[in-house]
Amino acid sequence: MTSALGIAVIAMLVVAALRLAPRIAIWRRGAPAAVAWASGLAAMPRRYLHDVHAVVARDPFTGRMHALVAGGLLAGSALGLIGLATPLGTLPAFGWLTALVFAAMLAGAVMVGLRRRPPTPKRLSRGAFQLLPVLLLAYAAGGAMAALPLSPAVNLFGFALALAGGLGLAYQTGAGPMRHAVAGALHLAAHPRPGRFDGGLSTALQAVDLADAKLGIETPADLPWNRLLSFDACIQCGRCETACPAFAAGQPLNPKRFIQDLAAASTPGGDPSYAGSPY
């Protein structure tokens, strides 16, 4: 039933698009910003696989977990669409390949659960993030079961499990952990400081013109749209929190909460989804 997985993936894409539409509208309220889309999109794979993963891999366990989950989810979903669109979906060998990819994702999903087992480290946000391992496990296990040449009953159960987990993941793109997956990828392409990926150290700070009618930032809409996008790219991993000397000293500052407050300030009615450490 590899081809059936393609139907689940299409349903996931539809739900994700519906959930992301309000966030895209929020980004569009920001000030204009010039983005070199062609070069940004072309550089996105390298920025993701090299620059971002190099930071994640500072914690070897997290690096392996991230590679298995992200790689398995993307590759398994792509194989599902290929199986639906081509005759490959009827070949047992293709089913075994798809199941192997989902098995790799399953291993990563187990690692996500182990990382969040009680007592969950304080730097990790809880709330909807605690549901993430369950959804990843369901999508990965269901995808493997649906792809293998097993009995129709097992395939059907696997498809239902993958659909449930996949739709849950897609729903979380609107307000939850999976919003980072989409916003983070777009942020790498539309980054306000693309030179940082080439070794540049510029902060892109601009001198204040004291003749302006308004100085600084008053509302989120005063920020460039790709800055608003960058707030949603935050995965709330807590690395900035643990590295912040002010937070460690008990001062009223938490960089992770600060970024989430900026994301909430750009959201009509606020965003109550933050479930991490306070200031």
Side-chain angles (χ1 to χ4, degrees), residues 59-146:
D59 178 349
F61 181 88
T62 303
R64 289 190 288 269
M65 175 194 76
H66 188 262
L68 289 170
V69 169
L73 191 152
L74 291 174
S77 300
L79 288 173
L81 290 175
I82 293 172
L84 177 64
T86 70
L88 291 174
T90 61
L91 300 178
F94 188 80
W96 279 102
L97 173 63
T98 304
L100 181 63
V101 171
F102 275 109
M105 179 187 170
L106 181 62
V110 171
M111 295 172 73
V112 174
L114 291 175
R115 186 168 174 253
R116 292 187 164 275
R117 68 184 183 276
T120 304
K122 291 183 178 180
R123 72 178 179 89
L124 296 178
S125 292
R126 287 160 291 281
F129 284 82
Q130 295 298 95
L131 181 61
L132 181 62
V134 178
L135 298 176
L136 291 172
L137 286 167
Y139 185 58
M145 294 170 63

Side-chain angles (χ1 to χ4, degrees), residues 167-259:
L167 291 179
L169 293 171
Y171 186 82
Q172 285 197 339
T173 58
M178 293 303 293
R179 187 165 72 191
H180 148 81
V182 179
L186 291 175
H187 177 54
L188 290 177
H191 201 282
R193 292 186 290 128
R196 64 158 293 186
F197 298 107
D198 300 319
L201 299 178
S202 172
T203 61
L205 293 176
Q206 299 178 356
V208 175
D209 186 351
L210 297 179
D212 286 346
K214 182 170 65 175
L215 302 180
I217 300 298
E218 183 178 9
T219 68
D222 295 332
L223 289 163
W225 70 267
N226 52 354
R227 293 284 183 183
L228 299 180
L229 167 66
S230 72
F231 303 148
D232 284 339
C234 173
I235 188 56
Q236 301 185 34
C237 68
R239 291 174 182 270
C240 59
E241 179 182 301
T242 56
C244 178
F247 182 79
Q251 298 299 310
L253 173 64
N254 181 341
K256 183 175 75 170
R257 179 63 188 268
F258 177 63
I259 292 298

